[in-house]
Amino acid sequence: MAESMEILAPDAAGIACAAAHLRAGRLIAFPTETVYGLGADARDGTAVAAIYAAKGRPSFNPLIVHVADTDMAKRYGQWSDLAEVLASAFWPGPLTLVLPLADGHGLSSLVTAGLPSVALRVPAHATARALLSAFDGPVAAPSANPSGRISPTTAAHVVNGLEGRIAGVVDDGPCSVGLESTIVGLTGDAPVLLRAGGLPVEAIEAALGMPLAQPDDAKITAPGQLTSHYAPAGQVRLNAEQAEGNEVLLGFGNVDCDLNLSPSGDLTEAAARLFDCLHQLDAMARPIAVTRIPERGLGVAINDRLRRAAAPRDP
Ligand code: AMP
Ligand code: MG
């Protein structure tokens, strides 16, 4: 990881350099109309895992994928008439659409936290759009601050929080400190307000010509689509020494097991593979035992997700 971070100008040379870092799987902070985002190639699981490592986030939640335009969004999310209405009315801007994943999307499962949906947004900030166009690919980007600290609205905030942990920041002055994006879910029968934000609900409802459902109503119409706590069907047992009975063993490091998160004991690799492994185990429809994973660095977020998978289920 970078010893010191590059401060890049928002001009053609700086943008080209930032895009090259992203292509190399490195992390770049950049301004959006809300706050500075911490970007990584959303197709590269190791790069996405590095976002969590740099932020020191203790849990995995799905990240918003930023794209340059609607055409790029269609590569990753299944497009629909409702998506077209909202995208043409409000993109670029502070609206995030959650869509079913498109066939052949190629996104890392860590970006979607194993969900069959993806959150997509075309930001309005000129520098963000220039970077997305130059990179010509999807960029996962939560706020560029260490977990638990205030969101950064200047490049100096980013440097203070993440120096030594990321490749660089594109400095384009202060963000306008808007609200977070409004998130609308389009994975079920009816459009759902998943998070209130910078774009007023009334404007969205006027464009759609119908009211937005609330997440609680939506859970009934789209079971399993909205929970971010993806869990496999089989019972999960943690800190296992070995498989018992019919269990399939998920391992970490140099252990004898059915599926290994990282044979070399690399927590970044394990984080990048976690949701793919859970899906594979799910398909086996057997109880799952997991060997011990160290409770440090990305291991904290991995263990958090495994504990949720192991927790008693809602009936
Ligand atoms: P932010 O903290 O602004 O980066 O927004 C991330 C939020 O977007 C998550 O906490 C979720 O609420 C939402 N989100 C991202 N991806 C998805 C998804 N695939 N399905 C549902 N909600 C999502
Ligand atoms: Mg944040």
Side-chain angles (χ1 to χ4, degrees):
M1 225 170 266
E3 282 300 302
S4 66
M5 58 198 273
E6 272 186 79
I7 312 291
L8 299 162
D11 57 14
I15 295 289
C17 185
H21 279 305
L22 290 175
R23 271 192 285 276
R26 291 191 279 264
L27 305 183
I28 287 290
F30 61 95
T32 73
E33 61 268 47
T34 55
V35 298
Y36 274 75
L38 181 55
D41 184 341
R43 299 162 295 197
D44 180 343
T46 305
V48 177
I51 289 180
Y52 286 93
K55 287 177 66 78
R57 251 200 201 177
S59 62
F60 296 126
N61 61 323
L63 302 176
I64 295 174
V65 174
H66 296 71
V67 290
D69 52 36
T70 296
D71 281 346
M72 203 188 281
K74 290 177 182 173
R75 292 189 220 156
Y76 306 108
Q78 280 176 38
W79 212 242
S80 61
D81 292 346
L82 292 180
E84 183 63 35
V85 168
L86 292 180
S88 47
F90 302 115
W91 279 356
L95 174 69
T96 296
L97 296 179
V98 174
L99 304 176
L101 279 166
D103 290 340
H105 57 82
L107 297 173
S108 146
S109 61
L110 192 55
V111 162
T112 59
L115 295 169
S117 56
V118 58
L120 291 160
R121 181 164 98 87
V122 178
H125 196 288
T127 298
R129 298 192 75 200
L131 177 59
L132 291 167
S133 298
F135 177 58
D136 193 25
V139 173
S143 58
N145 53 287
S147 183
R149 301 250 305 261
I150 297 167
S151 289
T153 54
T154 66
H157 294 161
V158 177
V159 174
N160 287 341
L162 297 176
E163 170 116 62
R165 301 196 216 170
I166 69 174
V169 56
V170 182
D171 182 357
D172 197 10
C175 300
S176 44
V177 203
L179 292 163
E180 307 176 288
S181 62
T182 302
I183 305 181
V184 173
L186 296 177
T187 56
D189 295 336
V192 184
L193 179 67
L194 295 176
R195 179 176 82 189
L199 183 66
V201 171
E202 292 77 5
I204 298 169
E205 293 182 334
L208 288 171
M210 65 171 104
L212 288 172
Q214 300 297 313
D216 281 342
D217 317 342
K219 253 180 205 137
I220 300 154
T221 57
Q225 290 283 297
L226 295 163
T227 170
S228 59
H229 305 316
Y230 172 78
Q235 276 302 320
V236 180
R237 186 169 65 86
L238 303 180
N239 300 318
E241 302 279 341
Q242 59 196 32
E244 282 165 19
N246 188 30
E247 281 175 345
V248 56
L249 187 63
L250 176 65
F252 174 81
N254 183 19
V255 290
D256 192 9
C257 57
D258 300 290
L259 199 59
N260 202 318
L261 286 165
S262 171
S264 65
D266 176 350
L267 287 164
T268 303
E269 181 186 27
R273 283 173 43 75
L274 176 64
F275 290 98
D276 289 333
C277 285
L278 289 176
H279 278 289
Q280 284 179 51
L281 293 167
D282 201 10
M284 296 179 194
R286 283 162 55 187
I288 298 157
V290 189
T291 66
R292 207 187 69 80
I293 292 162
E295 187 75 10
R296 62 176 157 77
L298 283 170
V300 175
I302 295 170
N303 282 320
D304 168 75
R305 183 48 51 127
L306 289 170
R307 274 191 295 270
R308 288 169 199 263
R313 311 288 160 76
D314 292 341

